[in-house]
């Protein structure tokens, strides 16, 4: 994965620029119909699979239904011989503001661990075709992790990357502690994960470098599940939903 700080606009060009492609796109289902994403094929040869996260009221929060649909669309593009690369994007305001906190709020440790919560959420990282994230606005928590699962990130001027899980009493659960370290270096990654502070596209590009990927993702997932055994994780998510400051008790 590499951060490229340049306008995501070229990847987000509206289909108005290519009416012929629009016609091709309208006839394309890619496994749809979908509730949470928009899917079409773009490009002069209809060889770009285009997926736009589309939950504007929730800032594209990654609910289970959205992630299931995303997996289906990726499967369809992977199987489509015409498609050479895939672009994944959100809106001007949000690529994705994280996993859906309202969906996670009342989950228990037993449900997370026993049900292997999030096990299917890494489909993007297993797609064989190149996947490009076109990011603007918030790419937070699972949204940042989703972008980092892609092969290349094109970040717009309004892009903000962050792992704010600590403010909810939990930790990143889909590669944040592992891929972020490799993307921006250990020091900045530690700072982001321990403070919840965000960085913009320019900071991300300046800090970018690659290390070898290790086994850490599995360990991270288990530790993420373990935060669901704490009262503070419940309090952090409940406080967000109730629009108040969290009162953590260190247990
Ligand atoms: N989940 C659910 N709903 C959300 C989320 C979210 N992550 N983010 C925003 N929303 C909702 C808000 O609740 C609000 O809905 P409503 O109007 O019904 O109250 C709506 O989106 C708009 O949000 P705000 O009013 O808060 O908009 P602001 O512009 O004031 O603030 C922020 C935007 C800063 C992005 C703010 O919404 C925020 O802090 N959101 C939470 C960010 C966050 O903590 N993300 C991490 C979530 S935990 C996580 O991602 C764990 C990852 C696990 C692995 C995932 C694998 C892919």
């Amino acid at each position: 994965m590499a951060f490229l700080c340049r306008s995501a606009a070229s990847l987000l060009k509206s289909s108005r620029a290519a009416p012929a492609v629009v016609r091709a796109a309208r006839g394309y289902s890619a496994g749809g119909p979908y509730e949470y994403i928009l899917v079409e094929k773009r490009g002069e040869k209809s060889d770009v699979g285009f997926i736009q996260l589309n939950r504007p009221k929730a800032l594209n929060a990654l609910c289970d239904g959205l992630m299931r649909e995303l997996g289906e669309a990726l499967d369809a593009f992977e199987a489509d011989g015409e498609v050479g690369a895939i672009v994944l994007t959100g809106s001007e305001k949000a690529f994705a503001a994280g996993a859906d906190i309202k969906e996670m709020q009342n989950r228990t440790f037993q449900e997370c661990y026993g049900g292997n919560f999030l096990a299917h959420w890494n489909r993007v990282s297993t797609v064989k075709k190149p996947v490009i994230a076109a990011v603007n606005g918030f790419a937070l928590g699972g949204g940042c992790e989703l972008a980092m699962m892609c092969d290349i990130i094109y970040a717009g001027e309004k892009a903000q990357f962050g792992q704010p899980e600590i403010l909810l009493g939990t930790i990143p659960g889909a590669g944040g502690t592992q891929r972020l370290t490799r993307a921006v270096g250990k020091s900045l990654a530690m700072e982001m994960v321990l403070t919840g502070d965000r960085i913009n596209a320019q900071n991300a590009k300046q800090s970018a470098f690659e290390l070898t990927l290790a086994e850490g993702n599995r360990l991270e997932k288990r530790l993420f599940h373990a935060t669901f055994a704490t009262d503070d994780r419940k309090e952090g998510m409940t406080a967000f939903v109730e629009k108040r400051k969290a009162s953590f008790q260190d247990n």
Side-chain angles (χ1 to χ4, degrees), residues 15 18 20-22 24-25 40-50:
S15 303
V21 178
V22 180
E40 61 179 22
K41 293 208 290 192
R42 289 189 177 181
E44 281 176 16
K45 296 179 188 163
S46 295
D47 52 2
V48 178
F50 185 86

Side-chain angles (χ1 to χ4, degrees), residues 122-167:
N122 69 340
R123 176 69 182 108
V124 175
S125 64
T126 62
V127 171
K128 291 191 220 73
K129 295 176 182 176
V131 184
I132 300 167
V135 177
N136 236 328
F138 301 114
L140 303 179
C144 185
E145 293 172 316
L146 185 62
M148 291 191 294
M149 284 178 206
C150 298
D151 299 296
I152 300 172
I153 298 176
Y154 282 98
E157 279 172 14
K158 292 183 190 154
Q160 289 186 49
F161 298 91
Q163 298 288 163
E165 287 88 345
I166 194 159
L167 305 175

Side-chain angles (χ1 to χ4, degrees), residues 17-40:
V21 178
V22 180
R23 283 195 294 279
R26 283 204 184 110
Y28 189 74
S29 70
Y34 298 111
E35 187 180 350
Y36 303 112
I37 58 176
L38 303 172
V39 178
E40 61 179 22

Side-chain angles (χ1 to χ4, degrees), residues 2 4 10 36 55 66 73 77 87 101 108 112 126 142 145 149 165 174 177 191 193 196 199 221 225 229 234 238:
L4 295 180
S10 57
Y36 303 112
R55 278 190 88 197
L66 186 153
F77 282 143
V87 172
I101 301 168
T108 63
C112 289
T126 62
E145 293 172 316
M149 284 178 206
E165 287 88 345
T177 66
E191 185 181 331
V193 170
I199 59 170
K221 180 89 69 260
H225 290 163
K234 180 78 189 293
T238 300

Side-chain angles (χ1 to χ4, degrees), residues 187-210:
S187 178
L188 182 56
M190 288 285 280
E191 185 181 331
M192 290 170 69
V193 170
L194 294 177
T195 64
D197 287 352
R198 304 175 207 151
I199 59 170
N200 62 24
Q202 201 62 44
N203 300 144
K205 189 186 173 202
Q206 275 160 6
S207 311
F209 68 88
E210 300 274 344

